[in-house]
Amino acid sequence: MNPFERMAIPIIQAPMFGASTQAMALAVSRAGGMGQFAAAGSTADQIETAVAEMKRDTDAPFAVNFLMTEPVRPDGAEVDAALQRLKPWYDARGLDLPSAPNTFAQDFDAQLAAVIRAAPSVASFAFSILTAEQVAALHAADIYVIGTATTVAEARAWAQVGADAVCAQGMEAGGHRGHFLKDVEQSLIGTMALVSTVRAAVEVPVVAAGGIMDGRGVAAALALGAAAAQMGSAFLLANDSAVSPTWRRAIEEAPDDATALTRAFSGRYARGIENEFMRAMQGEEVPPYPIQNRLTQPLRAAAARADDPSVMSLWAGQAIKLARPGEAGDLVQRWWDEAKAVAKELAARTA
Ligand SMILES: Cc1cc2nc3c(=O)[nH]c(=O)nc-3n(C[C@H](O)[C@H](O)[C@H](O)COP(=O)(O)O)c2cc1C
C-alpha cells in the first residue's frame, strides 16, 4: 500500500546505519512521518525481531533499509596489504592490528529473505538495484519498494524493475550514497537538479534526499514535486540518535564548510566531517567496499571510546550546521509547522 497516503506528515527519517535507531524510527512514524530502520548490519533474525517489534508498537508505516552488498572474498595478500597501510594508525593508539576477517558484510540474500518473511509496509534499498523478480517477491508480501537513485538513469532503472518509488539522493547527502551505474564523479548531482529531472523522467513518486534540514527544506522539496522529504543529518542530534558524544561534539563544533567526500574509511565514497584520517589517506590506495569498511571498524570503534575524532567516520551532510537537538517526533512536528508557515508566506508573495 502507498505509504505516502497514510502519512499525516510527508517527512521520512533517513536510514542511517550506526546513527539512527529503532526507537527513532518508531518515534517518527508515531509522529505522522515515516521512520526507517537501517538494517545494513542486521542478521536475518535481527531483522525479523525488529520488524515484529515495530509492528507491535505502531500501525503507522515504517521502512526497513538495506545497503545491497555483493559477497566478497578478497585474497589474503590484498587484505594484508590494506591492513599494513592501516598499521601506523592502529599502532599510534596502542591497538593490535586486527587479524584478517572471515566475513566483510551481512549476507544480502539472507537479509532479503528475512524482510520478505517479516513483511514491513515499506523496504528501501541503496548501493545497487534489485531484479524484477526480487521486486515481485517483495510485492507478493505486500511490501512497498523504494529504490535509491543518484542520477536519472538510476531512477529509470529502478522504475523499470518495478520499484514503487524512487529516493532521489543529491550529492549534499551525508554518509554513503546509492550510486550504482556510474562512478561517484559522474553521480554528483545536487538535490534540486536531481529531484526536478527525476520527477520529469519517471512516473513513480519521488522522495527528495540531501541537504534538507528544516521546514524550509521540506517545503522546497514538496515545491519541486517530491512526495516526501527524507532527512538524515537533521536527526543526528535527536534524542534517540546513536551518535557517540565525540561525533555529537564534532557536529556541534563543525565549521561552515565542514564536510568532504572520502573513500578512506569504507572503500566507497561517503560524506563526513573532514578529519586527520581523511586528509592523510587522500590519494592512498584503499580496497573497495566493504573490505576497507570492515578493516577500519576496530580502529573507529576504539577512537570513539577514546574520544578521538581524528580517525572516526563523522558522517554528516553539507548542511550539518543546521542540525538541532530534540525528541525525534517533536522535530518532525516542528519542521512540518515551519513548512506550512513557509507555504503560507509563499502563497502571500505569489498571490
Ligand atoms: C550517519 C549516516 C548514515 C547513513 N546510513 C545510510 C544507510 O544505512 N542506508 C542508506 O540508504 N542511506 C544512509 N545514509 C544516507 C541517508 O539515508 C540520506 O540519504 C542522507 O542522510 C540525506 O542527506 P542529509 O544527511 O543531508 O539529510 C546515511 C547518512 C548518514 C548521515
Side-chain angles (χ1 to χ4, degrees):
M1 197 197 292
N2 182 338
F4 306 115
E5 286 166 10
R6 294 172 57 209
M7 290 159 61
I9 298 177
I11 292 177
I12 299 176
Q13 167 248 311
M16 295 184 288
F17 178 50
S20 62
T21 57
Q22 191 177 327
M24 179 190 284
L26 185 64
V28 170
S29 286
R30 279 185 168 156
M34 185 167 80
Q36 300 205 58
F37 173 69
S42 302
T43 62
D45 281 352
Q46 289 166 336
I47 291 164
E48 289 193 73
T49 303
V51 173
E53 287 172 359
M54 298 266 303
K55 279 185 172 177
R56 181 197 64 204
D57 294 339
T58 182
D59 290 329
F62 64 88
V64 180
N65 169 266
F66 298 92
L67 299 175
M68 299 173 64
T69 308
E70 293 274 320
V72 289
R73 287 191 212 302
D75 69 59
E78 184 186 4
V79 174
D80 284 345
L83 280 172
Q84 283 310 316
R85 282 193 295 271
L86 292 171
K87 191 169 184 306
W89 298 91
Y90 276 95
D91 284 350
R93 283 150 192 88
L95 301 166
D96 290 337
L97 200 60
S99 44
N102 294 324
T103 53
F104 289 85
Q106 290 293 336
D107 175 351
F108 176 67
D109 288 338
Q111 290 182 320
L112 187 66
V115 80
I116 289 171
R117 282 194 300 276
S121 42
V122 181
S124 65
F125 300 86
F127 283 14
S128 184
I129 186 162
L130 296 168
T131 63
E133 291 70 32
Q134 288 171 321
V135 174
L138 288 154
H139 284 165
D142 243 346
I143 302 170
Y144 189 90
V145 176
I146 303 179
T148 306
T150 63
T151 62
V152 168
E154 289 172 355
R156 283 208 175 98
W158 272 111
Q160 225 151 40
V161 297
D164 301 292
V166 170
C167 172
Q169 190 186 41
M171 57 102 77
E172 297 92 326
H176 292 88
R177 289 167 66 246
H179 61 95
F180 59 90
L181 286 181
K182 291 194 171 159
D183 288 346
V184 73
E185 290 82 4
Q186 292 154 303
S187 311
L188 293 175
I189 302 164
T191 303
M192 193 160 195
L194 186 67
V195 173
S196 305
T197 50
V198 166
R199 187 168 173 273
V202 299
E203 302 282 329
V204 296
V206 177
V207 173
I212 304 172
M213 299 297 288
D214 55 18
R216 288 195 176 274
V218 173
L222 299 184
L224 290 176
Q230 176 165 307
M231 305 165 77
S233 297
F235 283 101
L236 285 176
L237 297 183
N239 287 358
D240 288 316
S241 156
V243 307
S244 62
T246 313
W247 187 355
R248 185 174 283 269
R249 204 176 59 244
I251 292 172
E252 287 163 352
E253 294 172 358
D256 289 325
D257 54 352
T259 72
L261 292 170
T262 183
R263 282 183 73 234
F265 290 109
S266 74
R268 187 181 165 100
Y269 277 99
R271 183 178 293 284
I273 297 173
E274 206 175 10
N275 61 6
E276 185 190 335
F277 188 74
M278 280 164 70
R279 280 189 289 271
M281 293 289 284
Q282 221 164 22
E284 289 283 318
E285 205 181 319
V286 164
Y289 184 91
I291 302 167
Q292 179 77 352
N293 194 51
R294 181 72 184 77
L295 300 182
T296 62
Q297 249 163 22
L299 178 65
R300 289 182 281 157
R305 285 194 298 274
D307 192 22
D308 170 12
S310 66
V311 287
M312 289 171 61
S313 44
L314 305 165
W315 303 138
Q318 279 185 331
I320 190 62
K321 285 288 292 181
L322 299 177
R324 295 286 174 267
E327 198 278 320
D330 293 344
L331 290 174
V332 168
Q333 187 59 56
R334 191 196 310 163
W335 294 326
W336 187 229
D337 291 343
E338 283 171 13
K340 286 190 287 192
V342 168
K344 273 205 192 110
E345 214 177 284
L346 286 176
R349 278 174 70 179
T350 53

